[in-house]
mmCIF file of all heavy atoms in Angstrom:
data_model
loop_
_atom_site.group_PDB
_atom_site.id
_atom_site.type_symbol
_atom_site.label_atom_id
_atom_site.label_comp_id
_atom_site.label_asym_id
_atom_site.label_seq_id
_atom_site.Cartn_x
_atom_site.Cartn_y
_atom_site.Cartn_z
ATOM 1 N N TYR D 14 -3.521 -15.253 12.320
ATOM 2 C CA TYR D 14 -4.090 -13.903 12.246
ATOM 3 C C TYR D 14 -5.567 -14.124 12.056
ATOM 4 O O TYR D 14 -6.020 -14.987 11.345
ATOM 5 C CB TYR D 14 -3.465 -13.190 11.017
ATOM 6 C CG TYR D 14 -1.978 -13.025 11.188
ATOM 7 C CD1 TYR D 14 -1.124 -13.939 10.661
ATOM 8 C CD2 TYR D 14 -1.441 -11.919 11.841
ATOM 9 C CE1 TYR D 14 0.202 -13.861 10.781
ATOM 10 C CE2 TYR D 14 -0.119 -11.804 12.032
ATOM 11 C CZ TYR D 14 0.801 -12.724 11.480
ATOM 12 O OH TYR D 14 2.117 -12.587 11.601
ATOM 13 N N ALA D 15 -6.380 -13.257 12.693
ATOM 14 C CA ALA D 15 -7.788 -13.452 12.733
ATOM 15 C C ALA D 15 -8.574 -12.307 12.087
ATOM 16 O O ALA D 15 -8.124 -11.122 12.205
ATOM 17 C CB ALA D 15 -8.265 -13.622 14.190
ATOM 18 N N GLU D 16 -9.705 -12.622 11.536
ATOM 19 C CA GLU D 16 -10.616 -11.616 11.085
ATOM 20 C C GLU D 16 -12.096 -12.103 11.314
ATOM 21 O O GLU D 16 -12.295 -13.308 11.475
ATOM 22 C CB GLU D 16 -10.387 -11.297 9.629
ATOM 23 C CG GLU D 16 -10.682 -12.462 8.652
ATOM 24 C CD GLU D 16 -10.327 -12.183 7.222
ATOM 25 O OE1 GLU D 16 -9.270 -11.518 6.983
ATOM 26 O OE2 GLU D 16 -11.052 -12.584 6.363
ATOM 27 N N THR D 17 -12.998 -11.165 11.380
ATOM 28 C CA THR D 17 -14.392 -11.499 11.626
ATOM 29 C C THR D 17 -15.282 -10.728 10.708
ATOM 30 O O THR D 17 -15.033 -9.526 10.450
ATOM 31 C CB THR D 17 -14.755 -11.141 13.090
ATOM 32 O OG1 THR D 17 -13.900 -11.860 13.988
ATOM 33 C CG2 THR D 17 -16.195 -11.493 13.406
ATOM 34 N N ARG D 18 -16.325 -11.404 10.283
ATOM 35 C CA ARG D 18 -17.430 -10.778 9.486
ATOM 36 C C ARG D 18 -18.690 -10.912 10.279
ATOM 37 O O ARG D 18 -18.908 -11.965 10.887
ATOM 38 C CB ARG D 18 -17.571 -11.391 8.116
ATOM 39 C CG ARG D 18 -16.458 -11.039 7.145
ATOM 40 C CD ARG D 18 -16.597 -11.866 5.865
ATOM 41 N NE ARG D 18 -15.502 -11.500 4.963
ATOM 42 C CZ ARG D 18 -14.238 -11.923 5.077
ATOM 43 N NH1 ARG D 18 -13.954 -12.700 6.074
ATOM 44 N NH2 ARG D 18 -13.320 -11.562 4.234
ATOM 45 N N VAL D 19 -19.562 -9.952 10.257
ATOM 46 C CA VAL D 19 -20.882 -9.998 10.840
ATOM 47 C C VAL D 19 -21.847 -10.603 9.803
ATOM 48 O O VAL D 19 -22.028 -9.937 8.763
ATOM 49 C CB VAL D 19 -21.381 -8.664 11.376
ATOM 50 C CG1 VAL D 19 -22.784 -8.756 11.907
ATOM 51 C CG2 VAL D 19 -20.450 -8.104 12.422
ATOM 52 N N LEU D 20 -22.329 -11.758 9.981
ATOM 53 C CA LEU D 20 -23.255 -12.345 9.034
ATOM 54 C C LEU D 20 -24.690 -11.809 9.162
ATOM 55 O O LEU D 20 -25.342 -11.614 8.152
ATOM 56 C CB LEU D 20 -23.269 -13.872 9.227
ATOM 57 C CG LEU D 20 -21.916 -14.521 8.958
ATOM 58 C CD1 LEU D 20 -22.041 -16.057 9.181
ATOM 59 C CD2 LEU D 20 -21.373 -14.264 7.594
ATOM 60 N N GLU D 21 -25.114 -11.569 10.413
ATOM 61 C CA GLU D 21 -26.430 -11.026 10.579
ATOM 62 C C GLU D 21 -26.518 -10.529 12.053
ATOM 63 O O GLU D 21 -25.729 -10.952 12.909
ATOM 64 C CB GLU D 21 -27.500 -12.028 10.305
ATOM 65 C CG GLU D 21 -27.476 -13.351 11.179
ATOM 66 C CD GLU D 21 -28.459 -14.382 10.709
ATOM 67 O OE1 GLU D 21 -28.370 -14.861 9.568
ATOM 68 O OE2 GLU D 21 -29.331 -14.697 11.516
ATOM 69 N N LYS D 22 -27.518 -9.756 12.327
ATOM 70 C CA LYS D 22 -27.786 -9.271 13.700
ATOM 71 C C LYS D 22 -29.230 -8.980 13.868
ATOM 72 O O LYS D 22 -29.872 -8.627 12.867
ATOM 73 C CB LYS D 22 -26.897 -8.073 14.124
ATOM 74 C CG LYS D 22 -27.193 -6.825 13.297
ATOM 75 C CD LYS D 22 -26.176 -5.743 13.741
ATOM 76 C CE LYS D 22 -26.878 -4.409 13.837
ATOM 77 N NZ LYS D 22 -26.068 -3.336 14.331
ATOM 78 N N ARG D 23 -29.743 -9.197 15.040
ATOM 79 C CA ARG D 23 -31.117 -8.899 15.259
ATOM 80 C C ARG D 23 -31.367 -8.535 16.706
ATOM 81 O O ARG D 23 -30.572 -9.007 17.583
ATOM 82 C CB ARG D 23 -32.088 -10.044 14.877
ATOM 83 C CG ARG D 23 -31.924 -11.279 15.713
ATOM 84 C CD ARG D 23 -32.956 -12.313 15.425
ATOM 85 N NE ARG D 23 -32.847 -13.570 16.150
ATOM 86 C CZ ARG D 23 -33.251 -13.728 17.394
ATOM 87 N NH1 ARG D 23 -33.876 -12.707 18.080
ATOM 88 N NH2 ARG D 23 -33.103 -14.884 18.067
ATOM 89 N N GLU D 24 -32.329 -7.703 17.000
ATOM 90 C CA GLU D 24 -32.647 -7.322 18.357
ATOM 91 C C GLU D 24 -33.215 -8.647 19.038
ATOM 92 O O GLU D 24 -33.947 -9.410 18.413
ATOM 93 C CB GLU D 24 -33.687 -6.239 18.406
ATOM 94 C CG GLU D 24 -33.134 -4.932 17.880
ATOM 95 C CD GLU D 24 -34.174 -3.842 17.892
ATOM 96 O OE1 GLU D 24 -35.284 -3.991 18.427
ATOM 97 O OE2 GLU D 24 -33.828 -2.749 17.332
ATOM 98 N N SER D 25 -32.969 -8.770 20.364
ATOM 99 C CA SER D 25 -33.530 -9.826 21.097
ATOM 100 C C SER D 25 -34.993 -9.650 21.335
ATOM 101 O O SER D 25 -35.395 -8.558 21.736
ATOM 102 C CB SER D 25 -32.782 -9.957 22.467
ATOM 103 O OG SER D 25 -33.459 -10.911 23.221
ATOM 104 N N LYS D 26 -35.859 -10.641 21.137
ATOM 105 C CA LYS D 26 -37.229 -10.532 21.385
ATOM 106 C C LYS D 26 -37.612 -10.477 22.883
ATOM 107 O O LYS D 26 -38.524 -9.931 23.290
ATOM 108 C CB LYS D 26 -38.004 -11.649 20.662
ATOM 109 C CG LYS D 26 -37.870 -11.535 19.139
ATOM 110 C CD LYS D 26 -38.547 -12.779 18.473
ATOM 111 C CE LYS D 26 -38.372 -12.640 16.991
ATOM 112 N NZ LYS D 26 -37.514 -13.611 16.387
ATOM 113 N N SER D 27 -36.808 -11.267 23.634
ATOM 114 C CA SER D 27 -37.115 -11.355 25.072
ATOM 115 C C SER D 27 -36.279 -10.463 25.982
ATOM 116 O O SER D 27 -36.532 -10.354 27.103
ATOM 117 C CB SER D 27 -36.903 -12.841 25.457
ATOM 118 O OG SER D 27 -35.556 -13.220 25.282
ATOM 119 N N ARG D 28 -35.197 -9.856 25.429
ATOM 120 C CA ARG D 28 -34.305 -9.031 26.225
ATOM 121 C C ARG D 28 -34.154 -7.658 25.520
ATOM 122 O O ARG D 28 -33.238 -7.559 24.667
ATOM 123 C CB ARG D 28 -33.014 -9.714 26.411
ATOM 124 C CG ARG D 28 -33.059 -10.998 27.181
ATOM 125 C CD ARG D 28 -31.760 -11.766 27.107
ATOM 126 N NE ARG D 28 -31.774 -12.885 27.961
ATOM 127 C CZ ARG D 28 -30.897 -13.152 28.948
ATOM 128 N NH1 ARG D 28 -29.954 -12.282 29.205
ATOM 129 N NH2 ARG D 28 -31.009 -14.254 29.667
ATOM 130 N N PRO D 29 -34.908 -6.729 25.849
ATOM 131 C CA PRO D 29 -34.859 -5.414 25.096
ATOM 132 C C PRO D 29 -33.598 -4.628 25.158
ATOM 133 O O PRO D 29 -33.310 -3.819 24.312
ATOM 134 C CB PRO D 29 -36.066 -4.606 25.768
ATOM 135 C CG PRO D 29 -36.363 -5.341 27.021
ATOM 136 C CD PRO D 29 -35.970 -6.714 26.906
ATOM 137 N N THR D 30 -32.726 -4.967 26.110
ATOM 138 C CA THR D 30 -31.436 -4.204 26.233
ATOM 139 C C THR D 30 -30.325 -5.002 25.592
ATOM 140 O O THR D 30 -29.149 -4.663 25.789
ATOM 141 C CB THR D 30 -31.112 -4.045 27.763
ATOM 142 O OG1 THR D 30 -30.974 -5.321 28.401
ATOM 143 C CG2 THR D 30 -32.142 -3.183 28.430
ATOM 144 N N GLN D 31 -30.690 -6.084 24.779
ATOM 145 C CA GLN D 31 -29.667 -6.897 24.195
ATOM 146 C C GLN D 31 -30.007 -7.282 22.765
ATOM 147 O O GLN D 31 -31.191 -7.168 22.334
ATOM 148 C CB GLN D 31 -29.425 -8.178 25.025
ATOM 149 C CG GLN D 31 -29.020 -7.843 26.419
ATOM 150 C CD GLN D 31 -29.106 -8.967 27.389
ATOM 151 O OE1 GLN D 31 -29.517 -10.047 27.048
ATOM 152 N NE2 GLN D 31 -28.784 -8.715 28.620
ATOM 153 N N GLY D 32 -29.017 -7.739 21.982
ATOM 154 C CA GLY D 32 -29.233 -8.219 20.692
ATOM 155 C C GLY D 32 -28.364 -9.412 20.316
ATOM 156 O O GLY D 32 -27.378 -9.639 21.021
ATOM 157 N N ILE D 33 -28.728 -10.115 19.297
ATOM 158 C CA ILE D 33 -27.962 -11.280 18.894
ATOM 159 C C ILE D 33 -27.262 -10.999 17.611
ATOM 160 O O ILE D 33 -27.811 -10.500 16.614
ATOM 161 C CB ILE D 33 -28.936 -12.506 18.718
ATOM 162 C CG1 ILE D 33 -29.600 -12.811 20.035
ATOM 163 C CG2 ILE D 33 -28.197 -13.724 18.133
ATOM 164 C CD1 ILE D 33 -30.772 -13.804 19.933
ATOM 165 N N VAL D 34 -25.909 -11.390 17.627
ATOM 166 C CA VAL D 34 -25.061 -11.158 16.455
ATOM 167 C C VAL D 34 -24.468 -12.501 15.984
ATOM 168 O O VAL D 34 -23.950 -13.215 16.910
ATOM 169 C CB VAL D 34 -23.963 -10.116 16.759
ATOM 170 C CG1 VAL D 34 -23.083 -9.867 15.545
ATOM 171 C CG2 VAL D 34 -24.549 -8.846 17.344
ATOM 172 N N LYS D 35 -24.543 -12.778 14.770
ATOM 173 C CA LYS D 35 -23.861 -13.990 14.217
ATOM 174 C C LYS D 35 -22.663 -13.586 13.531
ATOM 175 O O LYS D 35 -22.611 -12.758 12.603
ATOM 176 C CB LYS D 35 -24.852 -14.718 13.233
ATOM 177 C CG LYS D 35 -24.231 -16.054 12.774
ATOM 178 C CD LYS D 35 -25.196 -16.762 11.798
ATOM 179 C CE LYS D 35 -26.078 -17.689 12.646
ATOM 180 N NZ LYS D 35 -26.770 -18.624 11.743
ATOM 181 N N LEU D 36 -21.543 -14.137 13.970
ATOM 182 C CA LEU D 36 -20.191 -13.791 13.539
ATOM 183 C C LEU D 36 -19.569 -14.956 12.791
ATOM 184 O O LEU D 36 -19.652 -16.108 13.233
ATOM 185 C CB LEU D 36 -19.297 -13.461 14.790
ATOM 186 C CG LEU D 36 -19.833 -12.362 15.704
ATOM 187 C CD1 LEU D 36 -18.999 -12.358 16.973
ATOM 188 C CD2 LEU D 36 -19.818 -10.993 15.024
ATOM 189 N N GLU D 37 -18.786 -14.647 11.775
ATOM 190 C CA GLU D 37 -17.847 -15.637 11.115
ATOM 191 C C GLU D 37 -16.510 -15.256 11.380
ATOM 192 O O GLU D 37 -16.010 -14.171 10.962
ATOM 193 C CB GLU D 37 -18.208 -15.621 9.590
ATOM 194 C CG GLU D 37 -17.239 -16.642 8.830
ATOM 195 C CD GLU D 37 -17.366 -16.465 7.373
ATOM 196 O OE1 GLU D 37 -17.027 -15.384 6.828
ATOM 197 O OE2 GLU D 37 -17.753 -17.457 6.741
ATOM 198 N N HIS D 38 -15.804 -16.115 12.156
ATOM 199 C CA HIS D 38 -14.345 -15.912 12.475
ATOM 200 C C HIS D 38 -13.520 -16.705 11.563
ATOM 201 O O HIS D 38 -13.860 -17.934 11.359
ATOM 202 C CB HIS D 38 -14.050 -16.329 13.897
ATOM 203 C CG HIS D 38 -14.844 -15.606 15.000
ATOM 204 N ND1 HIS D 38 -14.660 -14.292 15.224
ATOM 205 C CD2 HIS D 38 -15.781 -16.062 15.873
ATOM 206 C CE1 HIS D 38 -15.435 -13.927 16.270
ATOM 207 N NE2 HIS D 38 -16.123 -14.987 16.685
ATOM 208 N N ILE D 39 -12.416 -16.207 11.099
ATOM 209 C CA ILE D 39 -11.493 -16.915 10.265
ATOM 210 C C ILE D 39 -10.108 -16.624 10.681
ATOM 211 O O ILE D 39 -9.773 -15.506 10.982
ATOM 212 C CB ILE D 39 -11.629 -16.505 8.714
ATOM 213 C CG1 ILE D 39 -12.988 -16.902 8.221
ATOM 214 C CG2 ILE D 39 -10.521 -17.197 7.940
ATOM 215 C CD1 ILE D 39 -13.267 -16.332 6.810
ATOM 216 N N ALA D 40 -9.314 -17.695 10.853
ATOM 217 C CA ALA D 40 -7.857 -17.546 11.161
ATOM 218 C C ALA D 40 -7.062 -18.069 10.038
ATOM 219 O O ALA D 40 -7.352 -19.202 9.502
ATOM 220 C CB ALA D 40 -7.526 -18.284 12.487
ATOM 221 N N ARG D 41 -6.005 -17.363 9.675
ATOM 222 C CA ARG D 41 -5.036 -17.772 8.700
ATOM 223 C C ARG D 41 -3.644 -17.809 9.322
ATOM 224 O O ARG D 41 -3.353 -17.046 10.202
ATOM 225 C CB ARG D 41 -4.989 -16.767 7.527
ATOM 226 C CG ARG D 41 -6.268 -16.733 6.687
ATOM 227 C CD ARG D 41 -6.082 -15.759 5.494
ATOM 228 N NE ARG D 41 -7.189 -15.891 4.582
ATOM 229 C CZ ARG D 41 -8.411 -15.412 4.790
ATOM 230 N NH1 ARG D 41 -8.673 -14.722 5.857
ATOM 231 N NH2 ARG D 41 -9.370 -15.583 3.878
ATOM 232 N N ASN D 42 -2.811 -18.713 8.784
ATOM 233 C CA ASN D 42 -1.440 -18.798 9.242
ATOM 234 C C ASN D 42 -0.590 -17.749 8.539
ATOM 235 O O ASN D 42 -1.152 -17.001 7.695
ATOM 236 C CB ASN D 42 -0.892 -20.227 9.145
ATOM 237 C CG ASN D 42 -0.748 -20.668 7.739
ATOM 238 O OD1 ASN D 42 -0.818 -19.877 6.775
ATOM 239 N ND2 ASN D 42 -0.622 -21.994 7.514
ATOM 240 N N GLN D 43 0.679 -17.742 8.858
ATOM 241 C CA GLN D 43 1.571 -16.750 8.312
ATOM 242 C C GLN D 43 1.707 -16.885 6.761
ATOM 243 O O GLN D 43 2.177 -15.935 6.112
ATOM 244 C CB GLN D 43 2.982 -16.810 8.964
ATOM 245 C CG GLN D 43 3.733 -18.051 8.723
ATOM 246 C CD GLN D 43 3.404 -19.202 9.646
ATOM 247 O OE1 GLN D 43 2.352 -19.223 10.339
ATOM 248 N NE2 GLN D 43 4.226 -20.225 9.628
ATOM 249 N N HIS D 44 1.250 -17.989 6.188
ATOM 250 C CA HIS D 44 1.263 -18.185 4.732
ATOM 251 C C HIS D 44 -0.009 -17.730 4.093
ATOM 252 O O HIS D 44 -0.131 -17.886 2.792
ATOM 253 C CB HIS D 44 1.691 -19.650 4.429
ATOM 254 C CG HIS D 44 2.870 -20.146 5.073
ATOM 255 N ND1 HIS D 44 4.142 -19.624 4.816
ATOM 256 C CD2 HIS D 44 3.070 -21.060 6.015
ATOM 257 C CE1 HIS D 44 5.016 -20.253 5.549
ATOM 258 N NE2 HIS D 44 4.397 -21.111 6.334
ATOM 259 N N GLY D 45 -0.992 -17.375 4.875
ATOM 260 C CA GLY D 45 -2.336 -17.050 4.268
ATOM 261 C C GLY D 45 -3.289 -18.184 4.189
ATOM 262 O O GLY D 45 -4.401 -18.040 3.749
#
C-alpha cells in the first residue's frame, strides 16, 4: 500500500508553464 507526501515545491525558473515537486513515497506491506 502506498502513500505520498509533498516535501517541497517550487516554480521552474527556466520553464514558466511548469514547476518542480519533491515527493516522498512510502510503501507498507499488509502488516504495516
Side-chain angles (χ1 to χ4, degrees):
Y14 300 92
E16 63 186 40
T17 301
R18 287 174 181 76
V19 177
L20 300 179
E21 60 187 63
K22 66 183 220 178
R23 67 173 178 82
E24 294 179 8
S25 172
K26 295 177 180 111
S27 61
R28 297 172 175 236
T30 62
Q31 299 165 2
I33 297 170
V34 182
K35 184 178 270 192
L36 305 169
E37 177 187 60
H38 299 294
I39 296 173
R41 290 182 171 80
N42 66 16
Q43 67 274 16
H44 307 295

